[in-house]
Amino acid sequence: MFSKFKTSCMITAVALATILPGQASASAASDKIHVKNNVSININGETLKVNDPVLNKSDYLFLPMRALYEAVGASVDWKKETLTASAIRNDKSVNLTINSKTALVDGQKVPMVVAPFMYKDRTYMPLRFVSENFGGNVNWNPTTQTVDISLTDETPGKPQGDPYILHINNQRIVMEDPIIIKQSRSYIPANYIYENLEDSSGTLLPDQSFELQIAGMSFLFKENSNQVLVNDEVVTMEGKPFMQNGKMYVPISFVVNALGGNLRYIEDKRELYLYVYQYMYTSSFLEKSYGATSKPGIVPSARLEGDRDLLISDNPETLTNKLIPKSNATLAQYQVKATSAANKHRVFGWHYNTLGTDVQIGITVQNTSSTESIEVIDSKGTSQQTGNSWVGHDIGLTIADATLNDKLKKSSSKGIVIAPGETKVIESYDLLNDYIIGFLHDLDIQVVNGGTPAYTIRTVLTKSNSNLTSILSDPVPIDVSAKHPRGAWTSSTILADLPAYSVDSPEVGYNISNGSTDHFLTTENSLSQINGAIGNPGHFGMNYKVTLPLVNQTGKAKTIKLKLAGRGGIYSGAVKVNGKVYLVPTLRVGTEYVELPDYKMKGSSETLELEFMHAGGVNLPVAIYVETK
């Protein structure tokens, strides 16, 4: 039952109004007043009884003020000298003046589509405007001629309890306005979009339409209209934008779909994840195809390549207080036994924070030499974190995309010198509670005076904002119930040489993650065994390079077609083909695959070079198929 309050003074009447969806625009131009006593008004599920007539003017409903304002729990003050009705509900004020299309909402001027008016000595005002500016949702059912108004006890426009969180391409924004759901569609104020995307702007135009410009694309929204101009072309949306608290709320799914991206709203967390791919990724997605693929053969030869070793910090993946009972902990470590003055390292981490508090994770280097200083001559990396369950998309793909495109960001730790016995932070990450983080960091270290360096690389965690350099303990024991990888290995790259393919031969496929012929990162050969190690059969954090010789003895130009398919479950990742990177969307095993751009072969002997990085959080393996088109 909704509360009722006495008005602060004696007034004749007030009204609220809403446009009647579905009416012809020609009818909206009429200023005639019609009595609409066949309309039912429901507030929070209860029917409102109105003694005075319900009116329709310009296809908007108008109701008498006293009955409605008392029903929704708003106090009203009528100023006769200015013909202004001032209403307050939950500390929110809405001031409306007779025959004026400008309202004052919490002291700010807000435009209205229709103006209040007097009818038979009664004061009538627009329903939807006032209801929505008091935090309500208004829905019109033309079949039953029913208006349903949902009102909460929260202060409109000021989220109560946990705030609403907006993630735009992994940028976390605490919103000052609510996310509003109407007919299963999410609406947010347009300003959150253009304020957090580059090359974007927003303008409220004199006719009260709103222009949103994003990366050269223009959207022109009009309140309560499902017709939007996209680059001056009329497009019909399923949702309708609306004004609330002086801001234009837009159906965010329409914007994201138009730009190319993805959207997800986690209602119980009040978190909206918005992805616009042209801002989030350097590379474009390959188009998904549907159909079965044949069983691939195994890669006949593979080997570790390169001198950049790999430290994996992925166990315990789920951080719990049982596994990490103390305030500070080492998650993984690698005691480097250097044989040269300069050494290259890669650190790959993947952790889910369920500790009940925000934590800080860091990569540190402890110089264990008693005589030689060491210098960080290069330091660069990338990291992503999310509270979303789409970790392959949110984290894995962004890391793979950045790595294959050589877009790792330079770290401020480049150039630091670490004296004997000293420990310094290479990179640190603030990880929110109930969020997961993935990071990849490449680190080059050399001894300053030409001797032999000795140092330990760690990933460490603090629950209590301790100095990360003070955490020098051994790694916590591995989580034996969840066998995610942890350890250190001599290389972060695998090179596989496929047999030569002759044009016009039948299709042939190779499984590039065999576990037998190309799995070199085992538990047994880990360079770090303290408190346990687990192998890395998924090749997470690794670059996987493939060479495919092509033979054409026909004397004619031929087109080679390549496709990729998951073989061990859901797969996604990034692939570089002859220097150009593409993203592989989520593929379901046995039913989905992607085709790489056709390769035009003109010579008699050529070689295709491919490079893969698997997105974390996905299953393996993946197969490559080659045939002549």
Side-chain angles (χ1 to χ4, degrees), residues 170-400:
N170 297 101
Q171 178 184 359
R172 185 176 185 270
I173 303 151
V174 180
M175 299 179 66
E176 296 180 354
D177 303 274
I179 296 167
I180 293 178
I181 308 298
K182 287 188 174 186
Q183 298 179 339
S184 301
R185 297 183 187 92
S186 302
Y187 293 77
I188 65 171
N191 64 288
Y192 286 98
I193 304 172
Y194 64 77
E195 288 174 356
N196 294 285
L197 286 179
E198 294 180 0
D199 302 321
S200 303
S201 63
T203 306
L204 184 62
L205 301 176
D207 64 353
Q208 304 309 313
S209 59
F210 189 91
E211 184 175 22
L212 176 64
Q213 295 191 35
I214 304 175
M217 182 173 285
S218 172
F219 301 85
L220 190 63
F221 297 99
K222 196 170 184 63
E223 184 179 15
N224 295 322
S225 173
N226 64 352
Q227 302 291 311
V228 58
L229 287 178
V230 181
N231 289 344
D232 291 328
E233 179 181 350
V234 178
V235 178
T236 301
M237 304 180 293
E238 292 185 350
K240 295 181 179 180
F242 57 89
M243 295 291 295
Q244 180 164 307
N245 298 340
K247 297 181 178 181
M248 179 67 82
Y249 273 75
V250 297
I252 190 59
S253 59
F254 176 82
V255 177
V256 172
N257 290 338
L259 292 168
N262 215 325
L263 186 73
R264 187 185 185 196
Y265 182 50
I266 304 177
E267 188 171 3
D268 59 342
K269 290 185 176 182
R270 289 183 162 190
E271 296 194 7
L272 180 68
Y273 288 81
L274 186 161
Y275 308 102
V276 180
Y277 292 155
Q278 61 183 299
Y279 290 94
M280 188 172 183
Y281 303 114
T282 299
S283 309
S284 58
F285 277 90
L286 294 168
E287 184 176 353
K288 188 184 296 187
S289 298
Y290 299 90
T293 51
S294 61
K295 183 178 179 180
I298 64 172
V299 169
S301 65
R303 63 187 183 274
L304 290 176
E305 182 191 60
D307 55 359
R308 185 174 299 283
D309 57 33
L310 177 67
L311 170 63
I312 294 287
S313 181
D314 189 17
N315 193 314
E317 181 181 80
T318 301
L319 307 173
T320 67
N321 286 305
K322 180 179 179 181
L323 294 168
I324 304 178
K326 298 181 179 180
S327 295
N328 302 323
T330 296
L331 302 175
Q333 78 171 31
Y334 170 33
Q335 295 176 331
V336 179
K337 298 178 180 179
T339 58
S340 60
N343 299 271
K344 299 178 180 180
H345 311 283
R346 171 171 291 176
V347 182
F348 180 84
W350 195 279
H351 297 288
Y352 176 32
N353 179 13
T354 66
L355 295 169
T357 185
D358 298 346
V359 301
Q360 188 178 37
I361 291 177
I363 301 171
T364 64
V365 172
Q366 178 190 12
N367 187 351
T368 55
S369 171
S370 59
T371 58
E372 303 291 342
S373 293
I374 55 176
E375 181 182 0
V376 177
I377 57 175
D378 199 11
S379 182
K380 58 186 179 182
T382 184
S383 69
Q384 297 290 346
Q385 59 179 288
T386 183
N388 194 348
S389 60
W390 298 350
V391 290
H393 183 282
D394 288 23
I395 302 176
L397 280 178
T398 53
I399 292 176

Side-chain angles (χ1 to χ4, degrees), residues 288-292 588 591-593:
K288 188 184 296 187
S289 298
Y290 299 90
R588 292 174 176 81
T591 60
E592 298 173 343
Y593 62 91

Side-chain angles (χ1 to χ4, degrees), residues 80-92:
K80 185 177 180 180
E81 61 277 12
T82 60
L83 299 179
T84 299
S86 301
I88 297 177
R89 180 180 186 271
N90 289 344
D91 297 325
K92 184 70 173 288

